[in-house]
Amino acid sequence: PATWVYVPGSLTQGGLLAAIRQGHVFISEHPSGPQLYLTADADGDGHYEKMMGDAIEARDGQRLAFRIRCLGAPHARLWLVGDGTILDILGVDGDDFLHDFSLEVSGRTYLRAELRDFRGPPDPPQVVLAMTNPIYLAAAD
């Protein structure tokens, strides 16, 4: 497996460690494996400024916009997971797949994504190709 880390600006040891501490990472099955990005528009301005590892404060009943981008996993299945529950399973229909959706965050504490596929004869099991860290959701006062 490979851990992909989002490091803004120049790649330095300090920047890399800070990004890991912030949870701005996803895991892929190998260095050239699929890439999976989860972002959120926390303030409703149309810009997806929050990413994996970040926390968002939201009011009870508020809907937030999310975006998932999958690269290099055509025909895989995208799983959306919140608080240990599968919220949705989607087919990935291309090498560069983008999925925008909104979610009411009431009572939820996190959202994350997984890419899965079937492999191996004769009865192919599902394997995880890539997995994001969660975006954490907290109740606003």
Side-chain angles (χ1 to χ4, degrees), residues 2 5 7 17 19 24-25 27 30 32 44 60 66 82 85 97 103 124 132 134:
V5 182
V7 181
L17 293 173
H24 293 171
V25 304
I27 298 170
H30 52 79
S32 61
D60 193 41
F66 293 89
T85 302
F97 177 77
L103 179 68
T132 70

Side-chain angles (χ1 to χ4, degrees), residues 46-65:
H47 298 283
Y48 292 81
E49 68 280 349
K50 296 291 186 176
M51 69 173 61
M52 306 155 293
D54 288 339
I56 300 172
E57 287 192 7
R59 295 178 316 281
D60 193 41
Q62 180 178 351
R63 292 190 76 82
L64 290 176

